[in-house]
Amino acid sequence: MRIAAIGSGIIGGGWIARFILSGHGVTVHDPHPEAARILGEVIANATRAWERLFQAPLPTPGRVIWAASVAEAVADADYVQESVPERLDLKHRIIAEIEATAPATAIISSSTSCFKPSELRQGARHPARILVAHPFDPVYLLPAVEIIGGGATAERACALLTSVGMQPVQSNTDIGDRLLEAVWREALWLIKDGIATTQEIDDLIRFGFGLRWAQMGLFETCRIAGGEAGMHRFLGQIVAAQREPRTKLTDAPDLDNALIDRIAAQSDAQSGAHSSRELERIRDDNLVGILQALKATDWGAGQTVREMENAFYAREGVAATGYPLRIYDVTVPGGWVDYNGHMTEFRYLQVCGDATDAFLIHIGLDAGYRAKGCSAYTVETHIRHIAEVKAGERLSVETRLLGHDAKRFRLHHALLREDGSIAATGEHMLLHVDTAASRATPMGEALIAALDAVAAQEGEAHPPHAGAGIRSVGKTPLAT
């Protein structure tokens, strides 16, 4: 899939980060003189967040390719994400430039939160391929995207965006911003009338109903408020309140200089101790925690994260050209480093586990195999920590099959640094199990044949440490 991005600011940069972290290259055009620096900072934040969000090995990131013009960026694109400033005349000009060069089958999606597809399509050569794909910031973490425009193009866009971990919601008009605008207008009135400050409003949201909304939304939350009788009871309770509303949603306050100054001053007092990048990282860390909690309960946005992670686990195997097998490598993220300044101990186990997963895929014990009711469970592990590993180092894993029988196989991993020296070794015994019965079961002929083929390449003596436990230290107590 060839992807182009026109505009790389907050929203455009978020899109680009999600695409490249999903393994897609993106050709980018943005005339802003600081575009490369700004995008680099967004990608750095996104990478940091994804390293914390996902346990599965991440794909090799795609490349950002800078283009000098819109025409150059979209020349061979299958999908174009437009994220230029919210001016209809500018968007019309950019869309015309895209259509002049992009393939006729290319999808053109606008991140706009202001304009309808019908407005964007005015004067277009191929109007049906122009959509609104409106996300929420940060795009690289929040999966929801409103797809407006319909038709076969919308279905194609939904399929592509689902593959990079988004949760498309198709509609005839924007929904999210309409809801947000209602909250925003009411908040402006509360400040203008001197009823509340920015701090008080934010506190009520983040310490109160915002937490409920994050995992159940509006109507499911209200259903619970109705008790055992459900939504009918809740709606019956609020009929009187609806007749005498306290809201001022029928009007919006004038954002004059006085109100702007008041809001800005209160916001500075509330959050001015942090830079914008610091606030972004705080926000991202909090979102990662929320998403991981939702993933643990397989609920809401956590389901989308789990599906994306499962797709990472179900990656295609890497072709092995020699032996020992080299089918997994990783660059050590900054988040894997502990207070001693090097990779913390449990991450060595993670690298070994990810290398084991790569081996399982190599022999055919993949997601399709597991779906039939059998898997391999690790029942014994011995790791030797030999050298310190720093953040940013590239590790390659050499994997050997030290033995197998009808139900078990024994693996040895050597974690190699870029100079070829060994940073650690891991030895693992795996047991083939019937997952429904939770008991060991013999492997089928195809799996045994795949293991036999690997074992045929194993000609050297086992490493001297293989099969050894932790050495004794000091006096050994007498048996009683």
Side-chain angles (χ1 to χ4, degrees), residues 22 38 61 95 124 159-160 183 226 237 253 286 289 312 320 329 399 418 431 437 469:
S22 299
I38 294 170
I95 290 172
L160 181 143
V183 176
Q237 289 174 329
N286 293 336
F312 291 155
D329 52 51
T399 300
E418 291 182 273
L431 186 66

Side-chain angles (χ1 to χ4, degrees), residues 6 11-12 15 81-88 91 95 108-121 130-136 145-148 173-177:
I6 310 302
I11 297 299
W15 275 119
Q81 189 68 48
E82 171 271 304
S83 305
V84 301
E86 297 282 29
R87 286 178 23 223
L88 188 57
K91 290 185 179 291
I95 290 172
I108 303 173
S109 291
S110 175
S111 302
T112 184
S113 59
C114 295
F115 304 112
K116 301 175 183 177
S118 58
E119 295 173 292
L120 298 174
R121 291 168 174 172
I130 299 170
L131 303 170
V132 169
H134 174 239
F136 298 87
V145 56
E146 293 179 292
I147 302 296
I148 308 170
T173 187
D174 64 306
I175 299 172
D177 275 351

Side-chain angles (χ1 to χ4, degrees), residues 419-477:
D419 62 3
S421 62
I422 296 177
T425 64
E427 190 176 355
H428 313 272
M429 183 72 75
L430 285 92
L431 186 66
H432 188 258
V433 298
D434 180 323
T435 52
S438 294
R439 59 178 175 81
T441 187
M443 291 179 270
E445 293 182 2
L447 211 54
I448 291 291
L451 289 169
D452 286 343
V454 176
Q457 304 176 73
E458 178 65 41
E460 297 183 5
H462 289 181
H465 56 267
I470 296 178
R471 290 163 288 189
S472 297
V473 177
K475 295 181 179 180
T476 303

Side-chain angles (χ1 to χ4, degrees), residues 1 60 66 71 153 172 197 231 243 301 352 371 394 457:
M1 178 64 67
T60 300
W66 288 96
T153 303
N172 296 321
T197 65
M231 186 62 83
R243 293 195 186 103
C352 289
R394 190 73 176 169
Q457 304 176 73

Side-chain angles (χ1 to χ4, degrees), residues 326 328-330 332 336 343-356 382-387 389 393-399 412-428:
R326 284 206 181 194
Y328 179 70
D329 52 51
V330 63
V332 177
W336 288 14
M343 189 165 78
T344 194
E345 57 186 326
F346 78 90
R347 296 296 185 181
Y348 289 85
L349 177 58
Q350 179 173 336
V351 174
C352 289
D354 291 342
T356 296
H382 180 212
I383 294 179
R384 298 163 63 238
H385 302 270
I386 299 170
V389 177
E393 285 197 57
R394 190 73 176 169
L395 295 176
S396 298
V397 182
E398 285 190 345
T399 300
H412 181 275
H413 299 305
L415 281 59
L416 306 181
R417 307 173 82 169
E418 291 182 273
D419 62 3
S421 62
I422 296 177
T425 64
E427 190 176 355
H428 313 272

Side-chain angles (χ1 to χ4, degrees), residues 47-383:
T47 302
R48 177 178 176 274
W50 274 43
E51 289 169 355
R52 286 161 168 75
L53 178 61
F54 295 108
Q55 295 180 4
L58 298 177
T60 300
R63 291 177 56 219
V64 173
I65 303 168
W66 288 96
S69 65
V70 171
E72 181 184 343
V74 305
D76 60 353
D78 299 305
Y79 182 89
V80 181
Q81 189 68 48
E82 171 271 304
S83 305
V84 301
E86 297 282 29
R87 286 178 23 223
L88 188 57
D89 62 324
L90 176 60
K91 290 185 179 291
H92 281 161
R93 178 170 65 78
I94 294 298
I95 290 172
E97 292 184 44
I98 294 171
E99 286 207 294
T101 310
T105 55
I107 300 169
I108 303 173
S109 291
S110 175
S111 302
T112 184
S113 59
C114 295
F115 304 112
K116 301 175 183 177
S118 58
E119 295 173 292
L120 298 174
R121 291 168 174 172
Q122 292 169 2
R125 297 181 184 181
H126 306 283
R129 65 171 172 166
I130 299 170
L131 303 170
V132 169
H134 174 239
F136 298 87
D137 183 41
V139 184
Y140 52 79
L141 278 180
L142 298 184
V145 56
E146 293 179 292
I147 302 296
I148 308 170
T153 303
E155 294 296 333
R156 290 169 55 208
C158 286
L160 181 143
L161 296 177
T162 298
S163 74
V164 296
M166 298 299 279
Q167 182 70 35
V169 176
Q170 288 201 59
S171 63
N172 296 321
T173 187
D174 64 306
I175 299 172
D177 275 351
R178 186 170 171 180
L179 294 170
L180 288 173
E181 182 181 349
V183 176
W184 176 247
R185 286 190 179 195
E186 197 65 26
L188 291 180
W189 275 118
L190 289 169
I191 295 171
K192 182 177 178 62
D193 292 345
I195 297 171
T197 65
T198 60
Q199 174 89 51
E200 291 165 344
I201 292 169
D202 284 351
D203 282 353
L204 285 169
I205 294 172
R206 62 184 177 177
F207 294 122
F209 57 85
L211 291 171
R212 297 187 310 203
W213 285 2
Q215 47 90 33
M216 279 192 170
L218 176 62
F219 286 98
E220 205 157 38
T221 296
C222 293
R223 181 181 181 86
I224 294 173
E228 294 182 357
M231 186 62 83
H232 273 94
R233 181 171 181 270
F234 172 79
L235 292 174
Q237 289 174 329
I238 66 168
V239 168
Q242 293 293 105
R243 293 195 186 103
E244 298 180 7
R246 290 168 289 178
T247 174
K248 292 191 176 182
L249 290 181
T250 55
D251 192 14
D254 182 19
L255 268 173
D256 54 25
N257 290 337
L259 183 54
I260 291 173
D261 290 345
R262 183 187 302 180
I263 294 172
Q266 291 179 4
S267 180
D268 288 344
Q270 175 185 348
S271 308
H274 301 287
S275 71
S276 60
R277 288 286 178 249
E278 287 171 340
L279 283 174
E280 287 171 357
R281 286 189 287 271
I282 292 168
R283 174 203 64 192
D284 290 355
D285 287 348
N286 293 336
L287 287 173
V288 165
I290 292 169
L291 289 169
Q292 287 178 332
L294 292 172
K295 184 181 71 172
T297 58
D298 199 28
W299 191 265
Q303 292 177 324
T304 306
V305 172
R306 180 177 295 281
E307 289 168 4
M308 187 70 167
E309 190 163 70
N310 287 343
F312 291 155
Y313 278 125
R315 63 195 183 278
E316 293 184 7
V318 176
T321 57
Y323 195 85
L325 301 174
R326 284 206 181 194
I327 50 179
Y328 179 70
D329 52 51
V330 63
T331 299
V332 177
W336 288 14
V337 173
D338 64 13
Y339 50 79
N340 289 314
H342 52 76
M343 189 165 78
T344 194
E345 57 186 326
F346 78 90
R347 296 296 185 181
Y348 289 85
L349 177 58
Q350 179 173 336
V351 174
C352 289
D354 291 342
T356 296
D357 283 339
F359 179 82
L360 296 180
I361 293 171
H362 178 74
I363 63 173
L365 206 164
D366 54 14
Y369 186 95
R370 294 194 303 273
K372 297 176 183 177
C374 288
S375 186
Y377 292 176
T378 302
V379 294
E380 189 173 351
T381 292
H382 180 212
I383 294 179

